[in-house]
Amino acid sequence: MSVTGWGGVTLTVEVGFSGNPSDPLSPASGTGIWGVGVWGTDEWGDGAIFTDVTEYVLGLDMSSSFSYEMAKYQTGRLSLTLDNEDGQFSTDNSSSPYWLLGQTTIAPLREIRVTASYDGVSWPEFAGRIDSWDESLEMAGGTVSVTALDYYADLAAWTGLATSAVGAGETFGARCSRILTAAGWTGSRAIDAGVSTQQATDLAGSAAAQLEAAAAAEGGAVWVDASGVVSCEGRNSLLEKTRSRVSQMIFSNVDTSANNVLYESGSIGTAYDATTVVNVASYQRTGGTVQTSTSQTSRDLYGDRVDSVSSLDTDNDTDVKLLATRAVALYQFPERRVESLTFQPMRQPTEEQVDNAWHAISSEGTSLRSLVYFSHLTPQGFNVDRYLFIRGRRVRITPTDWTMSLDFTSATVWHGFFILGSSESGVLDTNVLGY
């Protein structure tokens, strides 16, 4: 049964013991064999029948993130520990409730999902498949350690065979849709049209790699969210999506007003180095001419800091030039970066702030690529204020606590951008040029 008290929320952990692990690209439809959704019909469901195991969960950790500067999504991961004192989660126990027709129904690739609710609002925290089921055979009481990967692992595991190359001139969104369809993806998808057009492709290789190539050509991003939806966001999504354009949370170390969330003292990670500086961007598409963008001011100050990209799937040099120009516009100067922090929703200084923190988490407040505002009053009496995009989140949950750590990439320069052709995203000669 779901359990109330996990850091102030009701948590639900469910495993699809009856699911079909042979079909990894068909996330559960929620109907399942003998599911109530197909009662009274002549159809069989093909999704998992989920079993609530929350009362046996001793603790869990979840993580999902992009690589630095949100260039590539890293498959999300879940780790949890189950109380197995009665042996019900033992794969060799023929008396287990998860034993059917002479064999266990516990297996890798079974689906698993984690949801939470607070004050009548529910939200997903993880959706994916079990990767390993590690049972302790010698420890008194007995536990099972379960690890799972989100559905991006399914896309990485699927490999297409080369066909005749087609699709020249198709948009980013059309390319992503075609890749997912070819891979047999039957789950939900959220796909932007995008602004780039792409070269023909033979759809060879893993679905994840193909999607990443399409995103690189677009200057966008591809990932799987906490509910299992494949998201393909276009080049301008950080300027157009509400969650990336309007601050979803405000973090502060001193301001205890209701809309602010207090982060843990000593948890802030910062950096001020040359890691992100790019003042010469040299990009090339497959079969195209090298397109170069530079910032002479930055080169004079810091020397040449070159970013080279080749084999882009963009079908024209103009789009490649725009990507190179954007890279230099974003990263030509170093910035003192706020890269991470940790907070505990249930340990906010006021009840109003506790409530605000949970409601922010339950919305898009801590989703990947969301915009947040950070304000830190230093011991010397000055403020460090930053706009930040969330590029990673790590959640550790026990029956009495909920700790969340967030990783960031800077949104400061992005917030000065405008989009060509958009009357709502900036003013010419006022904002830094966007594309």
Side-chain angles (χ1 to χ4, degrees), residues 350-401:
T350 69
E351 288 298 321
E352 199 170 13
Q353 281 180 284
V354 169
D355 186 67
N356 175 70
W358 283 126
H359 279 292
I361 291 171
S362 69
S363 61
E364 292 186 311
T366 61
S367 65
L368 297 182
R369 294 169 67 85
S370 287
L371 179 73
V372 299
Y373 189 74
F374 171 89
S375 182
H376 177 81
L377 179 63
T378 68
Q380 294 80 17
F382 61 87
N383 267 63
V384 176
D385 299 313
R386 297 285 190 276
Y387 280 107
L388 307 167
F389 290 125
I390 296 174
R391 71 172 181 88
R393 64 195 304 273
R394 301 180 304 281
V395 184
R396 171 161 292 181
I397 307 174
T398 69
T400 59
D401 207 358

Side-chain angles (χ1 to χ4, degrees), residues 50-129:
F50 283 96
T51 300
D52 190 336
V53 299
T54 315
E55 62 182 303
Y56 304 102
V57 176
L58 301 177
L60 67 158
D61 293 87
M62 295 171 286
S63 64
S64 59
S65 68
F66 285 93
S67 60
Y68 201 75
E69 296 305 319
M70 299 192 292
K72 183 178 179 180
Y73 181 68
Q74 312 294 311
T75 301
R77 186 179 182 89
L78 165 70
S79 300
L80 63 87
T81 302
L82 293 172
D83 181 350
N84 193 38
E85 186 171 1
D86 61 3
Q88 67 172 306
F89 299 118
S90 297
T91 56
D92 293 278
N93 182 7
S94 60
S95 298
S96 165
Y98 310 113
W99 189 273
L100 180 67
L101 301 177
Q103 62 181 340
T104 183
T105 61
I106 297 170
L109 298 181
R110 298 300 193 198
E111 295 182 272
I112 185 169
R113 64 191 182 193
V114 180
T115 56
S117 64
Y118 175 81
D119 194 24
V121 178
S122 297
W123 67 94
E125 279 290 339
F126 182 88
R129 296 184 189 277

Side-chain angles (χ1 to χ4, degrees), residues 11-359:
L11 193 77
T12 305
V13 180
E14 299 171 294
V15 178
F17 289 114
S18 62
N20 178 10
S22 66
D23 190 10
L25 285 168
S26 298
S29 64
T31 54
I33 297 174
W34 295 118
V36 295
V38 295
W39 286 2
T41 76
D42 58 0
E43 298 179 359
W44 291 86
D46 59 1
I49 300 175
F50 283 96
T51 300
D52 190 336
V53 299
T54 315
E55 62 182 303
Y56 304 102
V57 176
L58 301 177
L60 67 158
D61 293 87
M62 295 171 286
S63 64
S64 59
S65 68
F66 285 93
S67 60
Y68 201 75
E69 296 305 319
M70 299 192 292
K72 183 178 179 180
Y73 181 68
Q74 312 294 311
T75 301
R77 186 179 182 89
L78 165 70
S79 300
L80 63 87
T81 302
L82 293 172
D83 181 350
N84 193 38
E85 186 171 1
D86 61 3
Q88 67 172 306
F89 299 118
S90 297
T91 56
D92 293 278
N93 182 7
S94 60
S95 298
S96 165
Y98 310 113
W99 189 273
L100 180 67
L101 301 177
Q103 62 181 340
T104 183
T105 61
I106 297 170
L109 298 181
R110 298 300 193 198
E111 295 182 272
I112 185 169
R113 64 191 182 193
V114 180
T115 56
S117 64
Y118 175 81
D119 194 24
V121 178
S122 297
W123 67 94
E125 279 290 339
F126 182 88
R129 296 184 189 277
I130 292 172
D131 185 55
S132 68
W133 190 275
D134 186 10
E135 179 186 348
S136 170
L137 297 178
E138 297 181 342
M139 187 174 73
T143 58
V144 172
S145 297
V146 180
T147 59
L149 303 176
D150 71 17
Y151 291 122
Y152 201 70
D154 288 356
L155 297 172
W158 185 89
T159 301
L161 299 177
T163 61
S164 298
V166 297
E170 69 183 345
T171 63
F172 165 69
R175 173 63 52 85
C176 290
S177 294
R178 190 156 64 89
I179 292 168
L180 290 171
T181 299
W185 177 260
T186 61
S188 298
R189 56 184 81 174
I191 299 177
D192 291 346
V195 296
S196 69
T197 50
Q198 312 221 343
Q199 297 186 22
T201 178
D202 59 9
L203 295 181
S206 81
Q210 293 178 55
L211 289 169
E212 289 163 9
E218 167 72 12
V222 176
W223 78 101
V224 175
D225 71 15
S227 64
V229 176
V230 176
S231 296
C232 301
E233 290 200 338
R235 183 183 306 172
N236 296 326
S237 62
L238 292 178
L239 301 168
E240 295 176 332
K241 305 282 185 180
T242 299
R243 72 161 187 280
S244 302
R245 194 166 45 83
V246 179
S247 178
Q248 303 297 302
M249 298 185 79
I250 302 172
F251 292 102
S252 173
N253 64 331
V254 293
D255 190 343
T256 58
S257 59
N259 291 330
N260 291 354
V261 174
L262 192 72
Y263 48 84
E264 288 189 14
S265 175
S267 74
I268 307 169
T270 61
Y272 187 46
D273 53 33
T275 301
T276 62
V277 178
V278 174
N279 51 36
V280 179
S282 180
Y283 290 7
Q284 185 178 20
R285 67 187 177 93
T286 300
T289 303
V290 174
Q291 303 295 310
T292 302
S293 179
T294 64
S295 167
Q296 192 58 51
T297 301
S298 176
R299 296 173 75 182
D300 291 342
L301 288 171
Y302 310 112
D304 285 358
R305 306 290 297 186
V306 181
D307 182 38
S308 296
V309 178
S310 61
S311 302
L312 289 169
D313 285 346
T314 312
D315 72 354
N316 63 86
D317 286 337
T318 300
D319 266 347
V320 178
K321 180 66 173 182
L322 289 175
L323 292 176
T325 304
R326 184 180 73 168
V328 172
L330 284 170
Y331 304 120
Q332 61 188 306
F333 301 116
E335 178 184 352
R336 186 178 185 191
R337 305 183 303 277
V338 176
E339 297 193 319
S340 61
L341 60 75
T342 298
F343 71 100
Q344 294 177 304
M346 66 179 294
R347 298 189 182 183
Q348 297 300 300
T350 69
E351 288 298 321
E352 199 170 13
Q353 281 180 284
V354 169
D355 186 67
N356 175 70
W358 283 126
H359 279 292

